[in-house]
Amino acid sequence: MWPFSTYPELTANQLSEEYDFIIVGGGTAGCVLANRLSADPAVKVLLLERGPRADSWAARVPLFSSDFASDGSRTLRVASKEQNQLGRSLLLFTGRALGGTSRINQMLYTRGLPAEYDAWSEAGRKGWSWADLRPYFLRSERSLSGAVADVHNAQGEWMNRTFGRFYFPGFEQAITAAEDLDLPYIDDLNSPTHPPFGCGRLHFTIDERAKRNSTYHAFLPEALARQRAQNLHICTNTLVEKIDIERLEGNGLVARGVTLLSSGDKNPERRYHIRARREIVLSAGPFGSPQTLMLSGIGPSGHLQEHGIPVLKDLPAVGSNLQDHFAVSTGFFVPMRDSLLSLQTNPWRFLKELFKYLIWGTGWLLGPVLQLAIFTHTRLLDESGRPTRTDKAFAQDLPDIEIMPMAYSSHDGIVPRTRGLFSFLSVLLHPRSKGSVRLSSPDPRAPLVVDPRYLSNAEDMAPLRASLKLSLRLRDQMRERGYTMDDWLVPASESDSDLDAFIRTSNRTTYHYSSTCRMAPEDDTDGGGVVDDELNVHRVGHLRVADTSIFPWIPGTHLQAPAVAVAEKCADMMLTSLNSLYR
Ligand SMILES: Cc1cc2nc3c(=O)[nH]c(=O)nc-3n(C[C@H](O)[C@H](O)[C@H](O)COP(=O)(O)OP(=O)(O)OC[C@H]3O[C@@H](n4cnc5c(N)ncnc54)[C@H](O)[C@@H]3O)c2cc1C
């Protein structure tokens, strides 16, 4: 702990009584906000994170820090409620450390097509079209491939890059198979003008020294944190129990401060109250933000009353509308040397890759378990899953499925280790099913009741069936070109009933939890809303939310880049409002 370590992180007992801005949750979005709001030394900012900073060599190596291969010390695992359609509970994962989920994710950097955000704007979310958001995507980007006008910035803080080559032969084969099937190769998957069908290489938030570039590393590096130590206080291992909200004469509500529990969430020693002169912003993620609102008395009134929490504002959309990109996994046996599994089964392979990483910053420790994406709209597929139409008529459309080839198993269960594994993860990009996040107790340390209600909307089945068929056509094409690929985990047949049975058993989360504090009018007919277009909680002064929980609905892309864009825009709005006070 500072001053004994060099990073200026504080404990709750070292904090001031009052700050201009308090940020709850030092995750993907929270670190961006802390950087932007503290740029002016006259503005005092507090960032509160329940997890540790937990930085180490291994925590920066892309492979070892990714959740599936890490020691789990920066991950919070949440067991979902038993899923009716699946007959089981699923484990859900989020980050719990400074940098949040950007410390444990797969580092894919994708923004999605403009139409994702234009649809938000068309639904009435003023200021949230692609044209509005593009500057916020670009502001923080540092593309290691260089700048491209209106597409990539090379001057920001947050680095991304593509890999120069495919690390596994299966990827080369998969991209050729996609092209054989008339899904064109796209040079830049982050270009706003590419068609909604095709295949291409992914970008990763990995820095020029081959290290994970989480938002903690990018936006709150030690040099910046030390330089701003007087006006930016970063407090880790501290759980925010609730927002302290005052009821004014005339019945208005205003957030005045936060109540903290020091020393982590296992053994709290003390409660602290810290005041906010200006605003509080919740960036505690898709589970933490609705949880904190509910513990503060803002949420579905019946649910709060069940737990004896005094209701300050009945806001039914808090913790409702949970969405995730549900996915189905097919699996194949390939030669062991073509699979990441050989790192576990062959010590020499491991030593070779370690050596490559240490000397040249290359090789499998970059975590290239997936390197490309294949996507389309399932309307463009025929009965057998083959793409039939790739014409311009669909240029304004959005893809509804993404297939991610993986040089490993993407199955959410025990996997054989006798042969190499390769898989296709078929991802539903625009799910209709919606779930919820609820409290199990008024204790902020108690586990949440998370019920994603996967497949509860029957409309989710058709695109998943089509996407499974496309995966099998890709497999056929790879085999036709001579790649050895034996079936391990595939549907019994391609009849609807066999595909549906497979979808219900071979599935998983893609960790993309969103929309639990969605941006929409309070009485929106599509599920209600929690925040307005400026991210203010409805009818509560001085309180905003900025993280993946505010998406009006889940965008059809990976969520970390949109989370950063939301934080950039929120910081801008907060500073504009602060500056207008002094005009
Ligand atoms: C294993 C995994 C792989 C993924 N891979 C990718 C990928 O490759 N590309 C991609 O784009 N997306 C990926 N995602 C999703 C993406 O990373 C997340 O959607 C996004 O980072 C979430 O950002 P956030 O700011 O909403 O929340 P988070 O980053 O989760 O931040 C929330 C923070 O708030 C803290 N917090 C919560 N409650 C409290 C409280 N009461 N008091 C104090 N602090 C609190 C948490 O500890 C956490 O640090 C992945 C996710 C996971 C789990």
Side-chain angles (χ1 to χ4, degrees):
M1 217 51 56
W2 199 60
F4 304 107
S5 94
T6 51
Y7 195 90
E9 59 188 316
L10 302 176
T11 49
N13 61 344
Q14 295 171 304
L15 299 180
S16 308
E17 288 176 0
E18 195 174 69
Y19 294 84
D20 292 304
F21 296 122
I22 298 178
I23 304 158
V24 178
T28 310
C31 290
V32 182
L33 277 152
N35 175 309
R36 299 302 186 229
L37 296 177
S38 64
D40 177 349
V43 177
K44 278 200 85 178
V45 178
L46 172 62
L47 176 67
L48 294 159
E49 167 54 43
R50 74 182 290 183
R53 187 166 60 89
D55 210 353
S56 64
W57 179 78
R60 290 187 176 206
V61 175
L63 179 65
F64 299 154
S65 55
S66 297
D67 178 72
F68 79 101
S70 81
D71 62 5
S73 60
R74 295 172 299 282
T75 300
L76 180 72
R77 290 181 170 73
V78 182
S80 80
K81 214 170 151 183
E82 176 144 329
Q83 297 295 280
N84 283 342
Q85 305 294 327
L86 314 179
R88 67 187 172 104
S89 152
L90 271 71
L91 262 189
L92 312 177
F93 302 75
T94 67
R96 184 183 166 281
L98 197 57
T101 307
S102 72
R103 294 291 298 282
I104 61 161
N105 67 13
Q106 206 44 50
M107 301 163 292
L108 273 55
Y109 175 89
T110 67
R111 300 174 190 154
L113 281 166
E116 297 286 355
Y117 308 98
D118 290 343
W120 291 357
S121 165
E122 281 153 26
R125 306 290 66 79
K126 202 160 166 258
W128 293 89
S129 69
W130 169 253
D132 296 316
L133 283 175
R134 186 175 58 190
Y136 296 111
F137 278 109
L138 292 187
R139 177 178 292 176
S140 51
E141 183 187 18
R142 189 187 303 177
S143 164
L144 296 180
S145 315
V148 178
D150 288 340
V151 179
H152 290 293
N153 176 21
Q155 306 296 323
E157 294 87 345
W158 197 28
M159 291 180 229
N160 71 67
R161 56 188 269 192
T162 51
F163 297 126
R165 49 175 283 226
F166 285 130
Y167 281 100
F168 297 95
F171 293 156
E172 202 74 61
Q173 299 285 341
I175 216 151
T176 309
E179 288 180 286
D180 287 347
L181 290 173
D182 277 341
L183 292 169
Y185 181 78
I186 289 163
D187 282 336
D188 182 352
L189 289 185
N190 280 311
S191 156
T193 54
H194 74 68
F197 42 80
C199 58
R201 286 160 192 268
L202 291 156
H203 292 83
F204 295 85
T205 46
I206 294 180
D207 72 15
E208 79 281 36
R209 290 171 306 146
K211 304 263 172 57
R212 170 182 290 270
N213 202 224
S214 73
T215 60
Y216 148 62
H217 296 111
F219 293 90
L220 297 178
E222 182 167 335
L224 181 138
R226 288 175 68 78
Q227 190 196 349
R228 297 190 189 174
Q230 292 309 313
N231 75 310
L232 170 61
H233 286 178
I234 299 170
C235 179
T236 50
N237 293 310
T238 299
L239 182 70
V240 173
E241 181 180 25
K242 65 186 183 75
I243 312 292
D244 299 327
I245 295 172
E246 187 187 339
R247 191 177 285 286
L248 302 175
E249 270 178 43
N251 233 13
L253 297 170
V254 180
R256 294 293 190 208
V258 293
T259 301
L260 317 177
L261 293 175
S262 69
S263 78
D265 56 351
K266 280 202 182 117
N267 186 24
E269 291 167 6
R270 266 196 71 183
R271 251 190 189 86
Y272 295 84
H273 298 277
I274 312 284
R275 290 192 305 274
R277 269 189 292 271
R278 303 286 169 225
E279 290 194 63
I280 296 165
V281 54
L282 264 174
S283 295
F287 299 154
S289 288
Q291 178 184 28
T292 311
L293 283 177
M294 289 189 275
L295 291 169
S296 313
I298 300 170
S301 58
H303 178 63
L304 302 189
Q305 281 156 356
E306 265 171 43
H307 291 291
I309 298 170
V311 180
L312 291 178
K313 166 131 189 75
D314 177 26
L315 201 49
V318 173
S320 308
N321 302 299
L322 170 65
Q323 289 190 294
D324 180 16
H325 293 136
F326 183 74
V328 180
S329 173
T330 44
F332 308 92
F333 292 116
V334 295
M336 184 58 97
R337 63 176 180 280
D338 292 2
S339 171
L340 191 77
L341 196 60
S342 66
L343 271 193
Q344 285 167 279
T345 57
N346 180 348
W348 290 113
R349 178 95 226 194
F350 179 81
L351 285 175
K352 189 175 153 195
E353 295 301 333
L354 181 63
F355 183 77
K356 278 203 243 171
Y357 182 76
L358 291 175
I359 304 295
W360 296 296
T362 177
W364 290 6
L365 268 52
L366 285 175
V369 64
L370 53 105
Q371 278 188 258
L372 66 134
I374 299 167
F375 50 91
T376 187
H377 196 292
T378 48
R379 269 204 312 266
L380 308 184
L381 305 178
D382 69 12
E383 266 299 290
S384 71
R386 285 183 163 269
T388 50
R389 300 190 57 186
T390 52
D391 54 60
K392 293 267 185 285
F394 292 92
Q396 296 308 312
D397 228 331
L398 284 171
D400 66 348
I401 54 162
E402 178 179 23
I403 295 179
M404 292 194 281
M406 291 200 198
Y408 198 58
S409 164
S410 52
H411 178 57
D412 190 15
I414 296 167
V415 297
R417 291 162 58 111
T418 46
R419 298 176 67 185
L421 296 173
F422 185 88
S423 57
F424 288 120
L425 188 64
S426 296
V427 181
L428 183 64
L429 291 178
H430 292 111
R432 304 284 167 137
S433 303
K434 286 181 168 190
S436 61
V437 175
R438 296 285 179 251
L439 303 173
S440 66
S441 144
D443 182 342
R445 292 153 298 174
L448 288 165
V449 182
V450 179
D451 185 4
R453 301 188 73 232
Y454 292 122
L455 304 183
S456 54
N457 187 319
E459 286 184 42
D460 286 347
M461 294 305 276
L464 283 169
R465 281 185 214 123
S467 144
L468 273 176
K469 289 183 187 171
L470 175 57
S471 299
L472 296 173
R473 298 299 76 78
L474 288 163
R475 172 208 61 184
D476 296 346
Q477 205 59 36
M478 288 166 76
R479 281 183 184 157
E480 207 163 286
R481 284 190 168 260
Y483 191 58
T484 307
M485 210 176 164
D486 295 334
D487 288 347
W488 161 47
L489 196 67
V490 293
S493 80
E494 296 184 30
S495 70
D496 280 2
S497 59
D498 280 341
L499 291 173
D500 289 359
F502 188 77
I503 289 167
R504 292 209 166 84
T505 49
S506 186
N507 51 57
R508 58 168 305 136
T509 171
T510 54
Y511 323 103
H512 290 175
Y513 318 115
S514 99
S515 307
T516 48
C517 296
R518 75 189 282 263
M519 172 173 49
E522 209 176 322
D523 56 357
D524 183 74
T525 50
D526 191 24
V530 175
V531 296
D532 66 17
D533 297 349
E534 304 231 307
L535 304 180
N536 300 297
V537 175
H538 289 304
R539 295 176 197 283
V540 183
H542 299 185
L543 181 60
R544 302 197 206 220
V545 185
D547 54 28
T548 52
S549 72
I550 66 92
F551 299 153
W553 57 81
I554 191 166
T557 190
H558 304 257
L559 302 190
Q560 66 164 346
V564 167
V566 165
E568 291 278 16
K569 183 168 166 69
C570 183
D572 238 19
M573 294 189 291
M574 290 171 77
L575 291 172
T576 305
S577 135
L578 178 72
N579 293 336
S580 69
L581 284 175
Y582 298 111
R583 247 182 240 140

